Coordinates of all heavy atoms in Angstrom, one line a residue:
M3 N 2.5 14.3 5.3 CA 1.3 15.1 4.9 C 0.6 15.5 6.2 O 0.5 14.8 7.1 CB 0.4 14.2 4.1 CG 0.8 14.1 2.6 SD -0.3 13.0 1.8 CE -1.1 14.2 0.7
S4 N 0.1 16.8 6.1 CA -0.7 17.2 7.3 C -2.0 16.5 7.3 O -2.5 16.1 6.3 CB -0.9 18.7 7.2 OG -1.9 19.1 6.3
D5 N -2.7 16.5 8.4 CA -4.0 15.8 8.5 C -5.0 16.5 7.6 O -5.9 15.8 7.1 CB -4.5 15.8 10.0 CG -3.7 14.8 10.8 OD1 -3.0 13.9 10.2 OD2 -3.7 14.8 12.1
V6 N -5.0 17.8 7.5 CA -6.0 18.5 6.7 C -5.9 18.1 5.3 O -6.9 17.7 4.6 CB -5.9 20.0 6.9 CG1 -6.9 20.7 6.0 CG2 -6.2 20.4 8.4
S7 N -4.7 18.2 4.7 CA -4.6 17.9 3.3 C -4.8 16.4 3.0 O -5.4 16.1 2.0 CB -3.2 18.3 2.7 OG -2.2 17.6 3.4
W8 N -4.5 15.6 4.0 CA -4.8 14.1 3.8 C -6.3 13.9 3.8 O -6.8 13.2 2.9 CB -4.2 13.4 5.0 CG -4.3 11.9 4.8 CD1 -5.2 11.1 5.5 CD2 -3.6 11.1 3.9 NE1 -5.0 9.8 5.0 CE2 -4.1 9.7 4.1 CE3 -2.7 11.3 2.9 CZ2 -3.6 8.7 3.3 CZ3 -2.2 10.3 2.1 CH2 -2.7 9.0 2.3
S9 N -7.1 14.5 4.6 CA -8.5 14.3 4.6 C -9.1 14.9 3.3 O -10.1 14.3 2.8 CB -9.2 14.9 5.8 OG -9.1 16.3 5.9
K10 N -8.6 16.0 2.8 CA -9.1 16.5 1.5 C -8.7 15.5 0.4 O -9.6 15.3 -0.5 CB -8.4 17.9 1.2 CG -9.1 19.0 1.9 CD -8.5 20.3 1.4 CE -9.1 21.5 2.1 NZ -8.3 22.7 2.0
F11 N -7.5 15.0 0.4 CA -7.1 14.0 -0.6 C -8.0 12.8 -0.6 O -8.5 12.4 -1.6 CB -5.7 13.6 -0.3 CG -5.1 12.5 -1.2 CD1 -5.0 12.7 -2.5 CD2 -4.8 11.3 -0.6 CE1 -4.6 11.7 -3.4 CE2 -4.3 10.3 -1.5 CZ -4.2 10.5 -2.8
V12 N -8.4 12.3 0.6 CA -9.2 11.1 0.7 C -10.6 11.5 0.2 O -11.3 10.7 -0.5 CB -9.3 10.6 2.2 CG1 -10.4 9.5 2.4 CG2 -7.9 10.0 2.6
A13 N -11.1 12.7 0.6 CA -12.4 13.1 0.1 C -12.5 13.1 -1.4 O -13.5 12.7 -2.0 CB -12.8 14.5 0.7
K14 N -11.4 13.6 -2.1 CA -11.4 13.6 -3.5 C -11.4 12.2 -4.1 O -12.1 11.9 -5.1 CB -10.1 14.4 -4.0 CG -10.2 15.9 -3.9 CD -9.2 16.5 -4.8 CE -9.5 18.0 -5.0 NZ -8.9 18.9 -4.1
L15 N -10.6 11.3 -3.5 CA -10.6 10.0 -3.9 C -11.9 9.3 -3.8 O -12.4 8.6 -4.7 CB -9.6 9.1 -3.1 CG -8.1 9.2 -3.4 CD1 -7.3 8.3 -2.5 CD2 -7.8 8.9 -4.8
E16 N -12.7 9.6 -2.7 CA -14.0 9.0 -2.5 C -14.9 9.5 -3.6 O -15.7 8.8 -4.1 CB -14.5 9.4 -1.1 CG -13.9 8.4 0.0 CD -14.2 8.8 1.4 OE1 -14.6 10.0 1.6 OE2 -14.0 8.0 2.3
Y17 N -14.8 10.8 -3.8 CA -15.7 11.4 -4.9 C -15.4 10.7 -6.2 O -16.4 10.3 -6.9 CB -15.4 12.9 -4.9 CG -16.1 13.6 -6.1 CD1 -17.5 14.0 -6.0 CD2 -15.4 13.9 -7.2 CE1 -18.1 14.6 -7.0 CE2 -16.0 14.6 -8.3 CZ -17.4 14.9 -8.2 OH -18.0 15.6 -9.2
K18 N -14.2 10.6 -6.6 CA -13.8 10.0 -7.9 C -14.2 8.6 -8.0 O -14.7 8.1 -9.0 CB -12.3 10.1 -8.1 CG -11.8 11.5 -8.5 CD -12.2 11.9 -9.9 CE -11.7 13.3 -10.2 NZ -12.2 13.7 -11.6
A19 N -14.0 7.8 -6.8 CA -14.4 6.4 -6.8 C -15.9 6.2 -7.1 O -16.3 5.3 -7.8 CB -14.0 5.8 -5.5
E20 N -16.6 7.1 -6.4 CA -18.1 7.0 -6.6 C -18.5 7.4 -8.0 O -19.3 6.7 -8.6 CB -18.8 8.0 -5.6 CG -20.3 7.7 -5.5 CD -20.8 8.1 -4.2 OE1 -20.1 8.0 -3.2 OE2 -22.0 8.6 -4.1
W21 N -17.8 8.4 -8.6 CA -18.1 8.9 -9.9 C -17.9 7.8 -10.9 O -18.7 7.6 -11.9 CB -17.2 10.1 -10.2 CG -17.4 10.7 -11.5 CD1 -16.8 10.5 -12.7 CD2 -18.4 11.7 -11.8 NE1 -17.3 11.2 -13.7 CE2 -18.3 12.0 -13.2 CE3 -19.4 12.4 -11.1 CZ2 -19.1 13.0 -13.9 CZ3 -20.2 13.4 -11.7 CH2 -20.0 13.6 -13.1
Y22 N -16.8 7.0 -10.7 CA -16.5 5.9 -11.7 C -17.0 4.6 -11.2 O -16.6 3.5 -11.7 CB -15.0 5.9 -11.9 CG -14.5 7.1 -12.7 CD1 -13.8 8.1 -12.0 CD2 -14.7 7.2 -14.1 CE1 -13.3 9.2 -12.7 CE2 -14.3 8.4 -14.8 CZ -13.6 9.3 -14.1 OH -13.2 10.4 -14.8
D23 N -17.8 4.6 -10.2 CA -18.4 3.4 -9.7 C -17.4 2.4 -9.2 O -17.4 1.2 -9.6 CB -19.4 2.8 -10.7 CG -20.3 1.8 -10.0 OD1 -20.6 1.9 -8.8 OD2 -20.8 0.9 -10.8
R24 N -16.3 2.9 -8.6 CA -15.3 2.0 -8.1 C -15.3 2.0 -6.6 O -15.9 2.9 -5.9 CB -13.9 2.5 -8.5 CG -13.7 2.7 -10.0 CD -13.9 1.5 -10.8 NE -12.9 0.5 -10.5 CZ -12.1 0.0 -11.5 NH1 -12.4 0.3 -12.8 NH2 -11.2 -0.9 -11.2
E25 N -14.7 0.9 -6.0 CA -14.6 0.8 -4.6 C -13.3 1.4 -4.0 O -12.3 1.0 -4.5 CB -14.8 -0.7 -4.1 CG -14.9 -0.8 -2.6 CD -14.9 -2.3 -2.2 OE1 -14.7 -3.2 -3.1 OE2 -15.1 -2.6 -1.1
L26 N -13.4 2.2 -3.0 CA -12.2 2.8 -2.4 C -11.9 2.0 -1.1 O -12.8 1.9 -0.2 CB -12.4 4.2 -2.0 CG -11.2 4.9 -1.4 CD1 -10.0 5.0 -2.4 CD2 -11.5 6.3 -0.9
I27 N -10.8 1.3 -1.0 CA -10.4 0.6 0.2 C -9.3 1.2 0.9 O -8.2 1.5 0.3 CB -10.1 -0.9 -0.2 CG1 -11.2 -1.6 -0.8 CG2 -9.6 -1.7 1.1 CD1 -10.9 -2.9 -1.5
K28 N -9.4 1.5 2.2 CA -8.3 2.1 3.0 C -7.6 1.0 3.8 O -8.3 0.3 4.5 CB -8.8 3.2 3.9 CG -9.4 4.4 3.2 CD -9.8 5.5 4.2 CE -11.1 6.1 3.7 NZ -11.7 7.0 4.7
I29 N -6.3 0.9 3.7 CA -5.6 -0.1 4.5 C -5.2 0.6 5.8 O -5.1 1.8 5.9 CB -4.4 -0.7 3.7 CG1 -3.3 0.4 3.5 CG2 -4.9 -1.3 2.4 CD1 -2.0 -0.2 3.0
D30 N -4.9 -0.3 6.8 CA -4.5 0.2 8.1 C -3.2 1.1 8.0 O -2.3 0.7 7.3 CB -4.2 -1.0 9.0 CG -4.1 -0.6 10.4 OD1 -3.0 -0.2 10.8 OD2 -5.1 -0.8 11.2
R31 N -3.2 2.2 8.7 CA -2.0 3.1 8.7 C -0.8 2.4 9.2 O 0.4 2.8 8.9 CB -2.3 4.4 9.4 CG -2.4 4.2 10.9 CD -2.8 5.4 11.6 NE -1.9 6.5 11.4 CZ -2.0 7.8 11.9 NH1 -3.0 8.0 12.6 NH2 -1.0 8.6 11.7
W32 N -0.9 1.3 10.0 CA 0.3 0.7 10.5 C 0.6 -0.6 9.7 O 1.5 -1.3 10.1 CB 0.0 0.2 12.0 CG -0.3 1.4 12.8 CD1 -1.5 1.6 13.5 CD2 0.5 2.5 13.1 NE1 -1.4 2.8 14.2 CE2 -0.2 3.4 14.0 CE3 1.8 2.9 12.8 CZ2 0.3 4.6 14.4 CZ3 2.3 4.1 13.2 CH2 1.6 5.0 14.0
Y33 N -0.1 -0.8 8.6 CA 0.3 -1.9 7.7 C 1.7 -1.7 7.2 O 2.1 -0.7 6.7 CB -0.7 -2.0 6.5 CG -0.3 -3.1 5.5 CD1 -0.5 -4.4 5.8 CD2 0.2 -2.8 4.3 CE1 -0.2 -5.4 4.9 CE2 0.6 -3.7 3.4 CZ 0.4 -5.1 3.7 OH 0.7 -6.0 2.8
P34 N 2.6 -2.7 7.4 CA 4.1 -2.5 7.2 C 4.4 -2.7 5.7 O 5.2 -3.5 5.3 CB 4.7 -3.6 8.0 CG 3.7 -4.7 8.0 CD 2.4 -4.1 8.0
S35 N 3.8 -1.8 4.8 CA 3.9 -1.9 3.4 C 5.4 -1.8 2.9 O 5.7 -2.4 1.9 CB 3.1 -0.9 2.6 OG 3.5 0.4 3.0
S36 N 6.3 -1.1 3.6 CA 7.7 -1.0 3.2 C 8.6 -2.1 3.8 O 9.8 -2.1 3.6 CB 8.2 0.4 3.5 OG 8.2 0.6 4.9
Q37 N 8.0 -2.9 4.6 CA 8.8 -4.0 5.3 C 8.6 -5.3 4.7 O 9.4 -6.3 5.0 CB 8.5 -4.0 6.8 CG 8.8 -2.7 7.5 CD 8.4 -2.8 9.0 OE1 8.4 -3.9 9.6 NE2 8.0 -1.7 9.6
L38 N 7.6 -5.5 3.9 CA 7.3 -6.8 3.3 C 7.9 -6.9 1.9 O 8.0 -5.9 1.1 CB 5.8 -7.0 3.2 CG 5.0 -7.1 4.5 CD1 3.5 -6.9 4.2 CD2 5.3 -8.4 5.2
F39 N 8.3 -8.1 1.5 CA 8.7 -8.4 0.1 C 7.5 -8.9 -0.6 O 6.9 -9.9 -0.3 CB 9.8 -9.4 0.1 CG 11.1 -8.9 0.6 CD1 11.5 -9.1 2.0 CD2 12.0 -8.1 -0.1 CE1 12.7 -8.6 2.5 CE2 13.2 -7.6 0.4 CZ 13.5 -7.9 1.7
S40 N 7.1 -8.1 -1.7 CA 5.9 -8.4 -2.4 C 5.9 -9.8 -3.1 O 4.8 -10.4 -3.3 CB 5.6 -7.3 -3.4 OG 6.6 -7.2 -4.3
A41 N 7.1 -10.3 -3.4 CA 7.1 -11.6 -4.2 C 6.7 -12.8 -3.3 O 6.1 -13.7 -3.7 CB 8.5 -11.8 -4.8
C42 N 7.2 -12.7 -2.0 CA 7.0 -13.9 -1.2 C 6.4 -13.6 0.2 O 6.0 -14.5 0.9 CB 8.3 -14.7 -1.0 SG 9.5 -13.8 0.0
G43 N 6.2 -12.4 0.6 CA 5.6 -12.0 1.9 C 6.6 -12.0 3.0 O 6.2 -11.7 4.1
H44 N 7.9 -12.2 2.7 CA 8.9 -12.2 3.8 C 9.0 -10.8 4.4 O 8.9 -9.8 3.7 CB 10.3 -12.6 3.2 CG 11.4 -12.6 4.2 ND1 11.5 -13.5 5.2 CD2 12.5 -11.8 4.3 CE1 12.6 -13.3 5.9 NE2 13.2 -12.3 5.4
Q45 N 9.1 -10.7 5.7 CA 9.1 -9.4 6.4 C 10.5 -9.3 7.1 O 10.9 -10.1 7.9 CB 8.0 -9.3 7.4 CG 8.0 -7.9 8.1 CD 6.7 -7.7 8.9 OE1 5.8 -8.5 8.8 NE2 6.6 -6.6 9.6
N46 N 11.2 -8.2 6.9 CA 12.5 -8.0 7.5 C 12.7 -6.6 8.1 O 13.9 -6.2 8.2 CB 13.6 -8.5 6.6 CG 14.0 -7.4 5.6 OD1 13.2 -6.5 5.3 ND2 15.2 -7.4 5.2
G47 N 11.7 -5.9 8.6 CA 11.9 -4.7 9.3 C 12.1 -3.5 8.5 O 12.1 -3.6 7.2
K48 N 12.2 -2.3 9.2 CA 12.3 -1.0 8.5 C 13.6 -0.9 7.8 O 14.7 -1.4 8.2 CB 12.2 0.1 9.5 CG 10.7 0.2 10.0 CD 10.6 1.5 10.8 CE 9.1 1.7 11.1 NZ 8.9 2.7 12.1
K49 N 13.6 -0.2 6.6 CA 14.8 0.1 5.9 C 14.9 1.6 5.7 O 13.9 2.3 5.6 CB 14.8 -0.5 4.5 CG 14.7 -2.0 4.6 CD 14.2 -2.6 3.2 CE 13.5 -3.9 3.4 NZ 12.2 -3.8 4.0
P50 N 16.1 2.2 5.8 CA 16.3 3.6 5.7 C 15.7 4.1 4.3 O 15.9 3.3 3.3 CB 17.8 3.8 5.8 CG 18.4 2.6 6.2 CD 17.4 1.5 6.1
L51 N 15.2 5.3 4.2 CA 14.6 5.8 3.0 C 15.5 5.9 1.8 O 15.1 5.8 0.7 CB 14.0 7.2 3.2 CG 12.5 7.3 3.5 CD1 12.1 8.8 3.7 CD2 11.7 6.7 2.4
Q52 N 16.8 6.0 2.1 CA 17.7 6.2 0.9 C 18.0 4.9 0.3 O 18.6 4.8 -0.8 CB 19.1 6.8 1.4 CG 19.9 6.0 2.4 CD 19.6 6.4 3.8 OE1 18.5 6.8 4.1 NE2 20.6 6.2 4.7
I53 N 17.6 3.8 0.9 CA 17.7 2.4 0.2 C 16.6 2.3 -0.8 O 15.4 2.3 -0.4 CB 17.7 1.3 1.2 CG1 19.0 1.4 2.1 CG2 17.7 -0.1 0.5 CD1 19.1 0.3 3.1
R54 N 16.9 2.3 -2.1 CA 15.9 2.3 -3.1 C 15.6 0.9 -3.7 O 14.5 0.7 -4.3 CB 16.4 3.2 -4.3 CG 16.7 4.7 -3.9 CD 15.6 5.3 -3.0 NE 14.3 5.3 -3.6 CZ 13.2 5.6 -2.9 NH1 13.2 5.9 -1.7 NH2 12.1 5.6 -3.5
E55 N 16.5 0.0 -3.5 CA 16.1 -1.4 -3.9 C 17.0 -2.4 -3.1 O 18.0 -2.0 -2.5 CB 16.3 -1.6 -5.4 CG 17.8 -1.5 -5.9 CD 17.9 -2.0 -7.4 OE1 17.0 -1.6 -8.2 OE2 18.8 -2.8 -7.7
W56 N 16.4 -3.6 -3.0 CA 17.1 -4.6 -2.2 C 16.7 -6.0 -2.7 O 15.8 -6.1 -3.5 CB 16.8 -4.4 -0.7 CG 15.3 -4.5 -0.5 CD1 14.6 -5.7 -0.3 CD2 14.4 -3.5 -0.3 NE1 13.3 -5.4 -0.1 CE2 13.1 -4.0 -0.1 CE3 14.5 -2.1 -0.3 CZ2 12.0 -3.2 0.1 CZ3 13.4 -1.3 -0.2 CH2 12.2 -1.9 0.1
T57 N 17.5 -7.0 -2.3 CA 17.2 -8.3 -2.7 C 16.7 -9.1 -1.5 O 17.3 -9.0 -0.4 CB 18.5 -9.0 -3.2 OG1 19.0 -8.2 -4.3 CG2 18.3 -10.4 -3.6
C58 N 15.6 -9.8 -1.7 CA 15.0 -10.5 -0.6 C 15.9 -11.7 -0.2 O 16.3 -12.5 -1.1 CB 13.6 -11.1 -1.1 SG 12.8 -12.1 0.1
P59 N 16.2 -11.8 1.1 CA 17.0 -13.0 1.6 C 16.3 -14.3 1.5 O 16.9 -15.4 1.5 CB 17.3 -12.6 3.0 CG 16.2 -11.7 3.4 CD 15.8 -11.0 2.2
N60 N 15.0 -14.3 1.4 CA 14.2 -15.5 1.3 C 14.1 -16.1 -0.1 O 14.4 -17.2 -0.3 CB 12.8 -15.2 1.9 CG 12.0 -16.5 2.0 OD1 12.4 -17.5 2.5 ND2 10.8 -16.4 1.6
C61 N 13.7 -15.3 -1.1 CA 13.4 -15.8 -2.4 C 14.4 -15.2 -3.4 O 14.3 -15.6 -4.6 CB 12.0 -15.6 -2.8 SG 11.6 -13.8 -3.2
L62 N 15.3 -14.3 -3.0 CA 16.3 -13.7 -3.8 C 15.8 -12.8 -5.0 O 16.6 -12.5 -5.9 CB 17.3 -14.8 -4.4 CG 17.9 -15.7 -3.4 CD1 18.8 -16.8 -4.0 CD2 18.7 -14.9 -2.3
A63 N 14.5 -12.4 -4.9 CA 14.0 -11.5 -5.9 C 14.5 -10.1 -5.5 O 14.7 -9.8 -4.4 CB 12.4 -11.5 -5.9
T64 N 14.8 -9.3 -6.6 CA 15.2 -7.9 -6.3 C 14.0 -7.0 -6.5 O 13.2 -7.1 -7.4 CB 16.3 -7.5 -7.3 OG1 17.4 -8.4 -7.1 CG2 16.8 -6.1 -7.1
H65 N 13.9 -6.0 -5.5 CA 12.7 -5.2 -5.5 C 13.1 -3.7 -5.6 O 14.0 -3.3 -4.9 CB 11.9 -5.3 -4.2 CG 11.3 -6.7 -4.1 ND1 10.2 -7.1 -4.8 CD2 11.7 -7.7 -3.3 CE1 9.9 -8.4 -4.4 NE2 10.8 -8.7 -3.5
D66 N 12.4 -2.9 -6.4 CA 12.4 -1.5 -6.4 C 11.5 -1.1 -5.2 O 10.4 -1.6 -5.0 CB 11.9 -0.9 -7.7 CG 11.7 0.6 -7.6 OD1 10.6 1.1 -7.2 OD2 12.7 1.3 -7.9
R67 N 12.0 -0.2 -4.4 CA 11.3 0.2 -3.1 C 9.9 0.6 -3.4 O 8.9 0.1 -2.8 CB 12.1 1.3 -2.4 CG 11.4 1.7 -1.1 CD 12.1 2.9 -0.5 NE 11.5 3.1 0.9 CZ 12.2 2.8 2.0 NH1 13.4 2.3 1.9 NH2 11.6 3.0 3.1
D68 N 9.7 1.6 -4.3 CA 8.3 2.2 -4.5 C 7.4 1.1 -5.2 O 6.2 1.1 -4.8 CB 8.4 3.4 -5.4 CG 9.2 4.5 -4.7 OD1 9.2 4.5 -3.4 OD2 9.8 5.4 -5.4
I69 N 7.9 0.4 -6.1 CA 7.1 -0.6 -6.8 C 6.7 -1.7 -5.8 O 5.5 -2.2 -5.8 CB 7.8 -1.2 -8.0 CG1 7.9 -0.1 -9.1 CG2 7.0 -2.4 -8.6 CD1 8.7 -0.4 -10.3
N70 N 7.6 -2.1 -5.0 CA 7.3 -3.1 -4.0 C 6.3 -2.7 -3.0 O 5.3 -3.4 -2.7 CB 8.6 -3.4 -3.2 CG 8.5 -4.5 -2.2 OD1 8.1 -5.7 -2.5 ND2 8.6 -4.2 -0.9
V71 N 6.3 -1.4 -2.5 CA 5.3 -0.9 -1.7 C 3.9 -0.8 -2.3 O 2.9 -1.2 -1.8 CB 5.7 0.6 -1.2 CG1 4.5 1.3 -0.5 CG2 6.9 0.5 -0.2
S72 N 3.9 -0.4 -3.6 CA 2.7 -0.3 -4.4 C 2.0 -1.7 -4.4 O 0.8 -1.8 -4.3 CB 2.9 0.2 -5.8 OG 3.6 1.4 -5.8
K73 N 2.8 -2.7 -4.7 CA 2.3 -4.1 -4.8 C 1.7 -4.6 -3.5 O 0.7 -5.2 -3.4 CB 3.4 -5.1 -5.3 CG 3.7 -4.9 -6.8 CD 4.8 -5.9 -7.2 CE 5.1 -5.8 -8.7 NZ 6.4 -6.5 -9.0
N74 N 2.4 -4.2 -2.4 CA 2.0 -4.6 -1.1 C 0.6 -4.0 -0.7 O -0.2 -4.6 -0.2 CB 3.0 -4.3 0.0 CG 4.2 -5.3 -0.1 OD1 4.0 -6.4 -0.5 ND2 5.3 -4.8 0.4
I75 N 0.5 -2.7 -1.1 CA -0.7 -2.0 -0.8 C -1.9 -2.5 -1.6 O -3.0 -2.7 -1.1 CB -0.5 -0.5 -1.0 CG1 0.4 0.1 0.0 CG2 -1.9 0.3 -1.0 CD1 0.8 1.6 -0.2
L76 N -1.6 -2.9 -2.9 CA -2.6 -3.5 -3.7 C -3.1 -4.8 -3.1 O -4.2 -5.1 -3.0 CB -2.1 -3.6 -5.2 CG -3.0 -4.4 -6.1 CD1 -4.3 -3.6 -6.3 CD2 -2.4 -4.6 -7.5
N77 N -2.1 -5.6 -2.8 CA -2.4 -7.0 -2.2 C -3.2 -6.9 -1.0 O -4.2 -7.6 -0.8 CB -1.1 -7.7 -1.9 CG -0.4 -8.2 -3.1 OD1 -1.0 -8.4 -4.2 ND2 0.9 -8.5 -3.0
E78 N -2.9 -5.9 -0.1 CA -3.6 -5.7 1.1 C -5.0 -5.3 0.9 O -6.0 -5.7 1.5 CB -2.9 -4.8 2.1 CG -3.6 -4.4 3.4 CD -3.7 -5.6 4.3 OE1 -3.3 -6.7 4.0 OE2 -4.3 -5.4 5.4
G79 N -5.2 -4.3 -0.1 CA -6.5 -3.9 -0.5 C -7.4 -5.0 -1.0 O -8.5 -5.1 -0.7
L80 N -6.8 -5.8 -1.9 CA -7.5 -6.9 -2.5 C -7.9 -8.0 -1.4 O -9.0 -8.5 -1.4 CB -6.7 -7.6 -3.6 CG -6.5 -6.8 -4.8 CD1 -5.5 -7.5 -5.8 CD2 -7.8 -6.5 -5.5
R81 N -7.0 -8.1 -0.4 CA -7.3 -9.1 0.7 C -8.5 -8.5 1.5 O -9.4 -9.3 1.9 CB -6.1 -9.2 1.6 CG -6.2 -10.3 2.7 CD -5.0 -10.3 3.6 NE -5.0 -9.1 4.5 CZ -5.8 -8.9 5.6 NH1 -6.6 -9.9 5.9 NH2 -5.7 -7.8 6.3
L82 N -8.5 -7.2 1.8 CA -9.6 -6.6 2.6 C -10.9 -6.7 1.8 O -12.0 -6.9 2.4 CB -9.3 -5.2 2.9 CG -8.1 -4.9 3.9 CD1 -7.8 -3.5 4.0 CD2 -8.5 -5.6 5.3
H83 N -10.8 -6.5 0.5 CA -12.0 -6.6 -0.4 C -12.6 -8.0 -0.3 O -13.8 -8.2 -0.1 CB -11.6 -6.2 -1.8 CG -12.7 -6.4 -2.8 ND1 -13.8 -5.6 -2.8 CD2 -12.9 -7.4 -3.7 CE1 -14.6 -6.0 -3.8 NE2 -14.1 -7.1 -4.3
A84 N -11.7 -9.1 -0.4 CA -12.1 -10.4 -0.4 C -12.8 -10.7 0.9 O -13.8 -11.5 1.0 CB -11.0 -11.4 -0.7
Q85 N -12.2 -10.2 2.0 CA -12.7 -10.4 3.3 C -14.1 -9.9 3.5 O -15.0 -10.5 4.1 CB -11.8 -9.7 4.3 CG -11.6 -10.3 5.7 CD -10.6 -9.5 6.5 OE1 -10.6 -8.3 6.5 NE2 -9.7 -10.2 7.1
K86 N -14.4 -8.7 2.9 CA -15.7 -8.1 2.9 C -16.7 -9.0 2.2 O -17.9 -9.0 2.6 CB -15.6 -6.7 2.3 CG -15.6 -5.6 3.3 CD -15.4 -4.2 2.8 CE -16.0 -3.7 1.6 NZ -15.7 -2.3 1.4
L87 N -16.3 -9.7 1.1 CA -17.2 -10.5 0.4 C -17.7 -11.7 1.1 O -18.7 -12.3 0.8 CB -16.6 -10.9 -1.0 CG -16.4 -9.7 -1.9 CD1 -15.8 -10.2 -3.2 CD2 -17.6 -8.9 -2.2
N88 N -16.8 -12.2 2.0 CA -17.1 -13.5 2.7 C -17.9 -13.2 4.0 O -17.9 -12.2 4.6 CB -15.8 -14.2 3.1 CG -15.0 -14.7 1.9 OD1 -15.7 -15.1 1.0 ND2 -13.7 -14.7 2.0
Ligands
ZN4 ZN1 11.1 -12.9 -1.1

């Protein structure tokens, strides 16, 4: 995504979050959301984009790439939220 459309996208999210009285949390751009296994937190490095699912060598759970990334981003957002409350 280009920087311009990204900032417009974030501005829209901020507007909607405020409208619905929700909190918008941005995670670090370097957070390795595609390298972590959401079930156990095991990290095993970058995977090529064409790999759509894989099995964790640590806990043997099978992950869909996009769903795994979504869960990691949610977990990180909730962690940052909890950090803010403390
Ligand atoms: Zn695992």
